[in-house]
């Protein structure tokens, strides 16, 4: 596990102070997981959603960047499933997931409201779980060998965006009711892909 920066520790402590020791930590961890997914999706869009960028990197490293695209895709789907998995799996194993949140909220009305929001987010992530269970974490026997097997659920960047927005809706609801108001559905960060493309072009690669 990577060490947190002082700024990240300060934010986490504020969540703990205002939401309580368990809800504060869980909320912080889920926010970081969501933000990481949001950044990955936008980096993927910056590179693979831009025809000129795709053409450029394919000119000198098509196979490599094809592998990177597959890795990013699988990682994004895993990101979504981690955020929306059941609270318990494999018997007594407890997961860090948005499905934990309703049980950590003392206000019954808000807890029920968050629970409804969570159910919507979980439903929007169903496609990612299908990919995780039958293609990423395991190779489904029938899917690989039977031409008549049920295909994987349709998946694309739009559905990933929708699933991440569903998770954001859960966090945003808690933020509005228990913290400082609406939470932006975006993350301010340095675009690594754009910087990489600029540097490669500057060096004449």
């Amino acid at each position: 596990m990577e060490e947190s920066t002082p700024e990240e520790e300060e934010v986490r402590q504020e969540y703990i102070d205002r939401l309580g020791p368990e809800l504060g930590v869980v909320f912080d961890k889920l926010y970081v997981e969501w933000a990481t997914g949001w950044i990955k999706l936008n980096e993927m869009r910056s590179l693979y959603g831009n025809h000129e960028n795709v053409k450029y990197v394919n000119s000198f490293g098509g196979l490599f960047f094809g592998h990177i695209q597959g890795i990013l895709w699988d990682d994004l789907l895993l990101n979504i499933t981690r955020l929306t998995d059941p609270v318990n799996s494999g018997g007594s194993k407890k997961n860090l997931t948005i499905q934990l949140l309703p049980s950590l909220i003392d206000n019954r009305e808000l807890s029920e409201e968050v629970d409804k929001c969570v159910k919507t987010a979980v439903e929007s992530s169903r496609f990612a779980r299908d990919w995780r269970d039958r293609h990423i974490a395991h190779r489904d026997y029938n899917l690989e060998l039977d031409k008549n097997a049920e295909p994987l659920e349709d998946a694309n960047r739009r559905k990933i965006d929708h699933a991440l927005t569903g998770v954001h809706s859960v966090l945003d609801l808690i933020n509005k009711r228990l913290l400082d108001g609406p939470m932006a559905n975006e993350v301010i960060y340095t675009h690594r892909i754009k910087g990489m493309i600029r540097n490669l072009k500057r060096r004449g690669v």
Side-chain angles (χ1 to χ4, degrees), residues 48-107:
Y48 299 102
N50 183 303
H51 177 71
E52 288 303 316
N53 284 346
V54 171
K55 184 178 178 181
Y56 177 68
V57 296
N58 279 344
S59 68
F60 65 87
L63 181 61
F64 172 75
F65 283 98
H67 286 319
I68 294 299
Q69 184 177 19
I71 291 167
L72 272 174
W73 176 259
D74 288 353
D75 195 33
L76 266 170
L77 296 179
L78 289 172
N79 207 141
I80 291 169
T81 59
R82 284 194 297 268
L83 281 162
T84 58
D85 266 341
V87 173
N88 294 103
S89 61
S92 59
K93 180 185 174 185
K94 192 171 183 178
N95 297 315
L96 182 66
T97 158
I98 60 170
Q99 295 202 52
L100 263 175
L101 291 169
S103 67
L104 302 179
I105 297 172
D106 294 332
N107 183 297

Side-chain angles (χ1 to χ4, degrees), residues 33-53:
E33 183 81 9
W34 166 81
T36 300
W38 193 94
I39 291 172
K40 289 174 186 173
L41 176 59
N42 279 274
E43 293 284 44
M44 177 176 271
R45 281 174 172 154
S46 293
L47 180 55
Y48 299 102
N50 183 303
H51 177 71
E52 288 303 316
N53 284 346

Side-chain angles (χ1 to χ4, degrees), residues 1 24 31 49 56 120 128 131 138 141 145 160 172 191:
M1 183 167 63
Y31 172 81
Y56 177 68
T120 300
W131 275 71
H138 309 281
Y141 182 88
L145 301 179
I160 290 175
D172 181 53
H191 290 261

Side-chain angles (χ1 to χ4, degrees), residues 160-201:
I160 290 175
D161 192 346
H162 182 62
L164 286 172
T165 297
V167 172
H168 169 267
S169 296
V170 175
L171 301 177
D172 181 53
L173 176 57
I174 294 173
N175 209 78
K176 284 190 288 191
R177 297 286 291 275
L178 298 178
L179 294 168
D180 297 320
M183 187 180 87
N185 190 14
E186 62 180 344
V187 179
I188 298 173
Y189 75 106
T190 301
H191 290 261
R192 292 164 291 189
I193 292 298
K194 291 180 180 179
M196 181 194 73
I197 295 294
R198 283 196 301 270
N199 286 330
L200 288 173
K201 289 182 176 178

